[in-house]
Amino acid sequence: MDGRRLHLVLAGFLVLAGSTADRVGRRKVFQIGLATFGIGSLLYGLAPNVGWLVAARRVQAVGGTMLNPVAMAIVTTTFPGPTEQARAIGAFGRGSASASWPWDCSPPDAGPWEPRTGRPRCSRT
Protein backbone atom coordinates (compact mmCIF):
# COMPACT_ATOMS: atom_id res chain seq x y z
CA MET A 1 0.00 0.00 0.00
CA ASP A 2 1.59 3.24 -1.06
CA GLY A 3 1.40 6.46 0.95
CA ARG A 4 -1.61 7.86 -0.88
CA ARG A 5 -3.85 4.94 -0.03
CA LEU A 6 -2.61 4.92 3.55
CA HIS A 7 -3.46 8.61 3.87
CA LEU A 8 -6.94 7.93 2.46
CA VAL A 9 -7.60 5.34 5.17
CA LEU A 10 -6.16 7.71 7.80
CA ALA A 11 -8.36 10.59 6.66
CA GLY A 12 -11.45 8.40 6.55
CA PHE A 13 -11.24 7.49 10.24
CA LEU A 14 -9.72 10.71 11.60
CA VAL A 15 -12.94 12.49 12.56
CA LEU A 16 -14.44 9.28 13.94
CA ALA A 17 -11.41 8.70 16.16
CA GLY A 18 -11.45 12.29 17.43
CA SER A 19 -15.15 12.23 18.31
CA THR A 20 -14.79 8.82 19.94
CA ALA A 21 -11.92 10.17 22.04
CA ASP A 22 -14.15 13.04 23.17
CA ARG A 23 -16.88 10.63 24.22
CA VAL A 24 -14.90 7.70 25.62
CA GLY A 25 -11.71 9.39 26.77
CA ARG A 26 -8.43 10.38 25.14
CA ARG A 27 -6.29 8.00 27.14
CA LYS A 28 -8.41 4.95 26.31
CA VAL A 29 -8.54 5.75 22.58
CA PHE A 30 -4.80 6.45 22.54
CA GLN A 31 -4.05 3.11 24.22
CA ILE A 32 -6.36 1.21 21.85
CA GLY A 33 -4.78 2.99 18.88
CA LEU A 34 -1.28 2.18 20.09
CA ALA A 35 -2.19 -1.49 20.59
CA THR A 36 -3.89 -1.64 17.17
CA PHE A 37 -0.88 -0.07 15.47
CA GLY A 38 1.44 -2.48 17.31
CA ILE A 39 -0.62 -5.50 16.28
CA GLY A 40 -0.62 -4.23 12.69
CA SER A 41 3.15 -3.87 12.83
CA LEU A 42 3.53 -7.40 14.16
CA LEU A 43 1.26 -8.77 11.43
CA TYR A 44 3.18 -6.74 8.86
CA GLY A 45 6.45 -8.26 10.00
CA LEU A 46 5.07 -11.80 9.98
CA ALA A 47 3.08 -11.53 6.72
CA PRO A 48 3.51 -14.60 4.51
CA ASN A 49 2.37 -12.89 1.29
CA VAL A 50 1.39 -9.56 -0.26
CA GLY A 51 -2.28 -9.88 0.71
CA TRP A 52 -1.34 -10.10 4.37
CA LEU A 53 1.00 -7.12 3.96
CA VAL A 54 -1.82 -4.97 2.59
CA ALA A 55 -4.22 -6.07 5.33
CA ALA A 56 -1.64 -5.45 8.05
CA ARG A 57 -0.90 -2.00 6.64
CA ARG A 58 -4.60 -1.17 6.85
CA VAL A 59 -4.65 -2.28 10.49
CA GLN A 60 -1.69 0.03 11.08
CA ALA A 61 -3.58 2.86 9.38
CA VAL A 62 -6.61 2.41 11.63
CA GLY A 63 -4.36 2.39 14.71
CA GLY A 64 -2.49 5.46 13.46
CA THR A 65 -5.79 7.22 12.90
CA MET A 66 -6.61 6.77 16.57
CA LEU A 67 -3.22 8.16 17.57
CA ASN A 68 -3.19 11.34 15.48
CA PRO A 69 -6.07 13.45 16.87
CA VAL A 70 -5.61 12.19 20.41
CA ALA A 71 -1.88 12.96 20.42
CA MET A 72 -2.56 16.51 19.23
CA ALA A 73 -5.24 16.95 21.91
CA ILE A 74 -2.82 15.68 24.55
CA VAL A 75 -0.17 18.14 23.34
CA THR A 76 -2.57 21.10 23.47
CA THR A 77 -3.78 20.26 26.99
CA THR A 78 -0.30 19.51 28.32
CA PHE A 79 1.02 22.91 27.19
CA PRO A 80 -1.66 25.47 28.12
CA GLY A 81 0.26 28.68 27.36
CA PRO A 82 0.07 29.99 23.78
CA THR A 83 3.86 30.19 23.30
CA GLU A 84 4.49 26.74 24.80
CA GLN A 85 1.59 25.34 22.81
CA ALA A 86 2.91 26.77 19.54
CA ARG A 87 6.35 25.27 20.18
CA ALA A 88 4.89 21.89 21.11
CA ILE A 89 2.61 21.78 18.06
CA GLY A 90 5.53 22.79 15.85
CA ALA A 91 7.69 20.00 17.27
CA PHE A 92 4.84 17.52 16.87
CA GLY A 93 4.32 18.53 13.24
CA ARG A 94 8.03 18.49 12.48
CA GLY A 95 8.36 15.00 13.93
CA SER A 96 5.33 13.73 12.02
CA ALA A 97 6.54 15.20 8.74
CA SER A 98 10.10 13.94 9.08
CA ALA A 99 8.87 10.43 9.90
CA SER A 100 7.08 10.00 6.57
CA TRP A 101 8.77 12.45 4.19
CA PRO A 102 10.73 10.41 1.66
CA TRP A 103 8.45 7.39 1.66
CA ASP A 104 5.12 9.04 0.89
CA CYS A 105 6.66 10.94 -2.02
CA SER A 106 8.06 7.99 -3.92
CA PRO A 107 6.24 5.75 -6.39
CA PRO A 108 5.46 2.31 -4.95
CA ASP A 109 7.76 0.50 -7.40
CA ALA A 110 10.78 2.81 -7.05
CA GLY A 111 13.02 4.08 -4.31
CA PRO A 112 12.68 7.55 -2.81
CA TRP A 113 15.75 8.99 -4.58
CA GLU A 114 16.29 9.85 -8.24
CA PRO A 115 19.37 7.83 -9.27
CA ARG A 116 20.74 10.33 -11.83
CA THR A 117 20.51 13.46 -9.69
CA GLY A 118 20.43 12.09 -6.14
CA ARG A 119 17.42 14.32 -5.41
CA PRO A 120 14.20 13.03 -3.85
CA ARG A 121 11.37 11.85 -6.08
CA CYS A 122 8.46 13.92 -4.94
CA SER A 123 5.85 15.80 -6.91
CA ARG A 124 5.40 18.27 -4.05
CA THR A 125 8.93 19.67 -4.09
Side-chain angles (χ1 to χ4, degrees):
M1 176 183 278
D2 65 18
R4 286 164 279 191
R5 291 187 196 134
L6 174 67
H7 291 144
L8 184 62
V9 174
L10 278 169
F13 288 105
L14 205 58
V15 175
L16 178 64
S19 64
T20 303
D22 289 340
R23 280 188 241 120
V24 176
R26 293 178 185 149
R27 182 179 181 145
K28 186 177 282 190
V29 172
F30 190 80
Q31 289 173 338
I32 292 170
L34 198 58
T36 304
F37 189 84
I39 290 168
S41 298
L42 180 67
L43 291 173
Y44 193 79
L46 298 174
N49 57 36
V50 175
W52 278 92
L53 283 173
V54 172
R57 193 72 168 131
R58 288 184 179 148
V59 172
Q60 280 184 322
V62 171
T65 299
M66 291 181 205
L67 296 174
N68 280 338
V70 177
M72 184 56 74
I74 290 170
V75 165
T76 57
T77 56
T78 303
F79 300 96
T83 305
E84 300 160 334
Q85 203 173 65
R87 284 189 183 132
I89 291 172
F92 180 82
R94 186 173 48 247
S96 298
S98 66
S100 67
W101 169 70
W103 313 116
D104 66 354
C105 294
S106 63
D109 58 346
W113 307 106
E114 182 65 46
R116 292 182 304 271
T117 63
R119 298 179 72 194
R121 287 185 179 152
C122 185
S123 60
R124 289 173 260 173
T125 56

PDB file of all heavy atoms in Angstrom, residues 20-41:
ATOM      1  N   THR A  20     -14.765   9.930  18.985  1.00  0.00           N
ATOM      2  CA  THR A  20     -14.788   8.819  19.942  1.00  0.00           C
ATOM      3  C   THR A  20     -13.930   9.140  21.161  1.00  0.00           C
ATOM      4  O   THR A  20     -14.308   8.841  22.297  1.00  0.00           O
ATOM      5  CB  THR A  20     -14.293   7.519  19.273  1.00  0.00           C
ATOM      6  OG1 THR A  20     -15.098   7.257  18.135  1.00  0.00           O
ATOM      7  CG2 THR A  20     -14.360   6.348  20.224  1.00  0.00           C
ATOM      8  N   ALA A  21     -12.783   9.778  20.923  1.00  0.00           N
ATOM      9  CA  ALA A  21     -11.917  10.173  22.043  1.00  0.00           C
ATOM     10  C   ALA A  21     -12.611  11.188  22.943  1.00  0.00           C
ATOM     11  O   ALA A  21     -12.443  11.155  24.163  1.00  0.00           O
ATOM     12  CB  ALA A  21     -10.610  10.745  21.516  1.00  0.00           C
ATOM     13  N   ASP A  22     -13.407  12.077  22.360  1.00  0.00           N
ATOM     14  CA  ASP A  22     -14.151  13.045  23.168  1.00  0.00           C
ATOM     15  C   ASP A  22     -15.210  12.363  24.024  1.00  0.00           C
ATOM     16  O   ASP A  22     -15.470  12.772  25.145  1.00  0.00           O
ATOM     17  CB  ASP A  22     -14.814  14.086  22.272  1.00  0.00           C
ATOM     18  CG  ASP A  22     -13.807  15.043  21.657  1.00  0.00           C
ATOM     19  OD1 ASP A  22     -12.681  15.152  22.196  1.00  0.00           O
ATOM     20  OD2 ASP A  22     -14.139  15.672  20.634  1.00  0.00           O
ATOM     21  N   ARG A  23     -15.822  11.321  23.490  1.00  0.00           N
ATOM     22  CA  ARG A  23     -16.879  10.627  24.220  1.00  0.00           C
ATOM     23  C   ARG A  23     -16.346   9.609  25.221  1.00  0.00           C
ATOM     24  O   ARG A  23     -16.818   9.527  26.351  1.00  0.00           O
ATOM     25  CB  ARG A  23     -17.818   9.909  23.238  1.00  0.00           C
ATOM     26  CG  ARG A  23     -18.822  10.836  22.628  1.00  0.00           C
ATOM     27  CD  ARG A  23     -19.850  10.066  21.823  1.00  0.00           C
ATOM     28  NE  ARG A  23     -19.719  10.548  20.449  1.00  0.00           N
ATOM     29  CZ  ARG A  23     -19.416   9.803  19.409  1.00  0.00           C
ATOM     30  NH1 ARG A  23     -19.230   8.530  19.545  1.00  0.00           N
ATOM     31  NH2 ARG A  23     -19.314  10.334  18.219  1.00  0.00           N
ATOM     32  N   VAL A  24     -15.380   8.812  24.802  1.00  0.00           N
ATOM     33  CA  VAL A  24     -14.904   7.696  25.620  1.00  0.00           C
ATOM     34  C   VAL A  24     -13.739   8.099  26.519  1.00  0.00           C
ATOM     35  O   VAL A  24     -13.606   7.586  27.623  1.00  0.00           O
ATOM     36  CB  VAL A  24     -14.494   6.516  24.693  1.00  0.00           C
ATOM     37  CG1 VAL A  24     -13.915   5.369  25.481  1.00  0.00           C
ATOM     38  CG2 VAL A  24     -15.666   6.058  23.875  1.00  0.00           C
ATOM     39  N   GLY A  25     -12.892   8.972  26.022  1.00  0.00           N
ATOM     40  CA  GLY A  25     -11.712   9.394  26.766  1.00  0.00           C
ATOM     41  C   GLY A  25     -10.469   9.293  25.900  1.00  0.00           C
ATOM     42  O   GLY A  25     -10.287   8.309  25.172  1.00  0.00           O
ATOM     43  N   ARG A  26      -9.639  10.316  25.977  1.00  0.00           N
ATOM     44  CA  ARG A  26      -8.434  10.376  25.138  1.00  0.00           C
ATOM     45  C   ARG A  26      -7.460   9.253  25.462  1.00  0.00           C
ATOM     46  O   ARG A  26      -6.898   8.637  24.565  1.00  0.00           O
ATOM     47  CB  ARG A  26      -7.741  11.718  25.322  1.00  0.00           C
ATOM     48  CG  ARG A  26      -8.522  12.863  24.791  1.00  0.00           C
ATOM     49  CD  ARG A  26      -7.793  14.157  25.042  1.00  0.00           C
ATOM     50  NE  ARG A  26      -8.631  15.268  24.620  1.00  0.00           N
ATOM     51  CZ  ARG A  26      -8.615  16.441  25.173  1.00  0.00           C
ATOM     52  NH1 ARG A  26      -7.787  16.692  26.169  1.00  0.00           N
ATOM     53  NH2 ARG A  26      -9.392  17.399  24.735  1.00  0.00           N
ATOM     54  N   ARG A  27      -7.277   9.017  26.734  1.00  0.00           N
ATOM     55  CA  ARG A  27      -6.294   8.004  27.137  1.00  0.00           C
ATOM     56  C   ARG A  27      -6.674   6.622  26.616  1.00  0.00           C
ATOM     57  O   ARG A  27      -5.846   5.880  26.096  1.00  0.00           O
ATOM     58  CB  ARG A  27      -6.173   7.990  28.657  1.00  0.00           C
ATOM     59  CG  ARG A  27      -5.144   7.023  29.153  1.00  0.00           C
ATOM     60  CD  ARG A  27      -5.053   7.067  30.659  1.00  0.00           C
ATOM     61  NE  ARG A  27      -4.038   6.138  31.110  1.00  0.00           N
ATOM     62  CZ  ARG A  27      -3.268   6.335  32.138  1.00  0.00           C
ATOM     63  NH1 ARG A  27      -3.387   7.437  32.850  1.00  0.00           N
ATOM     64  NH2 ARG A  27      -2.384   5.440  32.485  1.00  0.00           N
ATOM     65  N   LYS A  28      -7.950   6.271  26.750  1.00  0.00           N
ATOM     66  CA  LYS A  28      -8.407   4.950  26.314  1.00  0.00           C
ATOM     67  C   LYS A  28      -8.264   4.796  24.800  1.00  0.00           C
ATOM     68  O   LYS A  28      -7.779   3.771  24.314  1.00  0.00           O
ATOM     69  CB  LYS A  28      -9.864   4.743  26.719  1.00  0.00           C
ATOM     70  CG  LYS A  28     -10.372   3.339  26.438  1.00  0.00           C
ATOM     71  CD  LYS A  28     -11.796   3.170  26.923  1.00  0.00           C
ATOM     72  CE  LYS A  28     -11.778   2.983  28.412  1.00  0.00           C
ATOM     73  NZ  LYS A  28     -13.062   2.571  28.976  1.00  0.00           N
ATOM     74  N   VAL A  29      -8.655   5.816  24.036  1.00  0.00           N
ATOM     75  CA  VAL A  29      -8.539   5.748  22.576  1.00  0.00           C
ATOM     76  C   VAL A  29      -7.070   5.713  22.163  1.00  0.00           C
ATOM     77  O   VAL A  29      -6.699   4.976  21.247  1.00  0.00           O
ATOM     78  CB  VAL A  29      -9.291   6.919  21.909  1.00  0.00           C
ATOM     79  CG1 VAL A  29      -9.021   6.980  20.419  1.00  0.00           C
ATOM     80  CG2 VAL A  29     -10.787   6.791  22.149  1.00  0.00           C
ATOM     81  N   PHE A  30      -6.225   6.472  22.854  1.00  0.00           N
ATOM     82  CA  PHE A  30      -4.795   6.451  22.541  1.00  0.00           C
ATOM     83  C   PHE A  30      -4.196   5.060  22.797  1.00  0.00           C
ATOM     84  O   PHE A  30      -3.435   4.547  21.986  1.00  0.00           O
ATOM     85  CB  PHE A  30      -4.052   7.507  23.374  1.00  0.00           C
ATOM     86  CG  PHE A  30      -2.632   7.713  22.959  1.00  0.00           C
ATOM     87  CD1 PHE A  30      -2.327   8.509  21.866  1.00  0.00           C
ATOM     88  CD2 PHE A  30      -1.587   7.114  23.643  1.00  0.00           C
ATOM     89  CE1 PHE A  30      -1.012   8.702  21.470  1.00  0.00           C
ATOM     90  CE2 PHE A  30      -0.276   7.296  23.255  1.00  0.00           C
ATOM     91  CZ  PHE A  30       0.011   8.107  22.169  1.00  0.00           C
ATOM     92  N   GLN A  31      -4.561   4.445  23.908  1.00  0.00           N
ATOM     93  CA  GLN A  31      -4.051   3.107  24.223  1.00  0.00           C
ATOM     94  C   GLN A  31      -4.546   2.064  23.225  1.00  0.00           C
ATOM     95  O   GLN A  31      -3.779   1.201  22.783  1.00  0.00           O
ATOM     96  CB  GLN A  31      -4.449   2.709  25.646  1.00  0.00           C
ATOM     97  CG  GLN A  31      -3.704   3.478  26.703  1.00  0.00           C
ATOM     98  CD  GLN A  31      -4.225   3.209  28.108  1.00  0.00           C
ATOM     99  OE1 GLN A  31      -5.362   2.778  28.293  1.00  0.00           O
ATOM    100  NE2 GLN A  31      -3.388   3.478  29.101  1.00  0.00           N
ATOM    101  N   ILE A  32      -5.821   2.145  22.846  1.00  0.00           N
ATOM    102  CA  ILE A  32      -6.364   1.213  21.851  1.00  0.00           C
ATOM    103  C   ILE A  32      -5.676   1.426  20.508  1.00  0.00           C
ATOM    104  O   ILE A  32      -5.326   0.465  19.818  1.00  0.00           O
ATOM    105  CB  ILE A  32      -7.890   1.369  21.737  1.00  0.00           C
ATOM    106  CG1 ILE A  32      -8.566   0.882  23.024  1.00  0.00           C
ATOM    107  CG2 ILE A  32      -8.435   0.607  20.528  1.00  0.00           C
ATOM    108  CD1 ILE A  32     -10.038   1.220  23.117  1.00  0.00           C
ATOM    109  N   GLY A  33      -5.470   2.694  20.135  1.00  0.00           N
ATOM    110  CA  GLY A  33      -4.782   2.990  18.883  1.00  0.00           C
ATOM    111  C   GLY A  33      -3.350   2.495  18.874  1.00  0.00           C
ATOM    112  O   GLY A  33      -2.873   1.946  17.874  1.00  0.00           O
ATOM    113  N   LEU A  34      -2.663   2.654  19.985  1.00  0.00           N
ATOM    114  CA  LEU A  34      -1.280   2.176  20.093  1.00  0.00           C
ATOM    115  C   LEU A  34      -1.216   0.658  19.993  1.00  0.00           C
ATOM    116  O   LEU A  34      -0.367   0.106  19.290  1.00  0.00           O
ATOM    117  CB  LEU A  34      -0.675   2.662  21.410  1.00  0.00           C
ATOM    118  CG  LEU A  34       0.827   2.649  21.547  1.00  0.00           C
ATOM    119  CD1 LEU A  34       1.477   3.489  20.463  1.00  0.00           C
ATOM    120  CD2 LEU A  34       1.220   3.169  22.916  1.00  0.00           C
ATOM    121  N   ALA A  35      -2.146  -0.019  20.660  1.00  0.00           N
ATOM    122  CA  ALA A  35      -2.194  -1.487  20.590  1.00  0.00           C
ATOM    123  C   ALA A  35      -2.546  -1.951  19.176  1.00  0.00           C
ATOM    124  O   ALA A  35      -1.944  -2.901  18.657  1.00  0.00           O
ATOM    125  CB  ALA A  35      -3.210  -2.020  21.590  1.00  0.00           C
ATOM    126  N   THR A  36      -3.500  -1.276  18.531  1.00  0.00           N
ATOM    127  CA  THR A  36      -3.892  -1.640  17.166  1.00  0.00           C
ATOM    128  C   THR A  36      -2.730  -1.438  16.204  1.00  0.00           C
ATOM    129  O   THR A  36      -2.462  -2.299  15.350  1.00  0.00           O
ATOM    130  CB  THR A  36      -5.101  -0.808  16.718  1.00  0.00           C
ATOM    131  OG1 THR A  36      -6.164  -0.985  17.653  1.00  0.00           O
ATOM    132  CG2 THR A  36      -5.579  -1.212  15.338  1.00  0.00           C
ATOM    133  N   PHE A  37      -2.034  -0.327  16.336  1.00  0.00           N
ATOM    134  CA  PHE A  37      -0.882  -0.074  15.475  1.00  0.00           C
ATOM    135  C   PHE A  37       0.214  -1.113  15.726  1.00  0.00           C
ATOM    136  O   PHE A  37       0.847  -1.600  14.786  1.00  0.00           O
ATOM    137  CB  PHE A  37      -0.335   1.337  15.710  1.00  0.00           C
ATOM    138  CG  PHE A  37       0.701   1.739  14.716  1.00  0.00           C
ATOM    139  CD1 PHE A  37       0.335   2.255  13.486  1.00  0.00           C
ATOM    140  CD2 PHE A  37       2.049   1.593  14.992  1.00  0.00           C
ATOM    141  CE1 PHE A  37       1.291   2.622  12.550  1.00  0.00           C
ATOM    142  CE2 PHE A  37       3.018   1.951  14.072  1.00  0.00           C
ATOM    143  CZ  PHE A  37       2.625   2.473  12.845  1.00  0.00           C
ATOM    144  N   GLY A  38       0.435  -1.461  16.981  1.00  0.00           N
ATOM    145  CA  GLY A  38       1.437  -2.476  17.312  1.00  0.00           C
ATOM    146  C   GLY A  38       1.088  -3.844  16.748  1.00  0.00           C
ATOM    147  O   GLY A  38       1.950  -4.553  16.208  1.00  0.00           O
ATOM    148  N   ILE A  39      -0.177  -4.226  16.847  1.00  0.00           N
ATOM    149  CA  ILE A  39      -0.621  -5.501  16.282  1.00  0.00           C
ATOM    150  C   ILE A  39      -0.464  -5.484  14.764  1.00  0.00           C
ATOM    151  O   ILE A  39      -0.010  -6.461  14.159  1.00  0.00           O
ATOM    152  CB  ILE A  39      -2.076  -5.803  16.697  1.00  0.00           C
ATOM    153  CG1 ILE A  39      -2.116  -6.132  18.185  1.00  0.00           C
ATOM    154  CG2 ILE A  39      -2.668  -6.930  15.867  1.00  0.00           C
ATOM    155  CD1 ILE A  39      -3.511  -6.164  18.772  1.00  0.00           C
ATOM    156  N   GLY A  40      -0.817  -4.354  14.141  1.00  0.00           N
ATOM    157  CA  GLY A  40      -0.622  -4.228  12.694  1.00  0.00           C
ATOM    158  C   GLY A  40       0.838  -4.339  12.306  1.00  0.00           C
ATOM    159  O   GLY A  40       1.178  -4.968  11.294  1.00  0.00           O
ATOM    160  N   SER A  41       1.709  -3.771  13.099  1.00  0.00           N
ATOM    161  CA  SER A  41       3.146  -3.869  12.828  1.00  0.00           C
ATOM    162  C   SER A  41       3.646  -5.302  12.967  1.00  0.00           C
ATOM    163  O   SER A  41       4.457  -5.769  12.164  1.00  0.00           O
ATOM    164  CB  SER A  41       3.928  -2.963  13.782  1.00  0.00           C
ATOM    165  OG  SER A  41       3.577  -1.622  13.587  1.00  0.00           O
TER     166      SER A  41
END
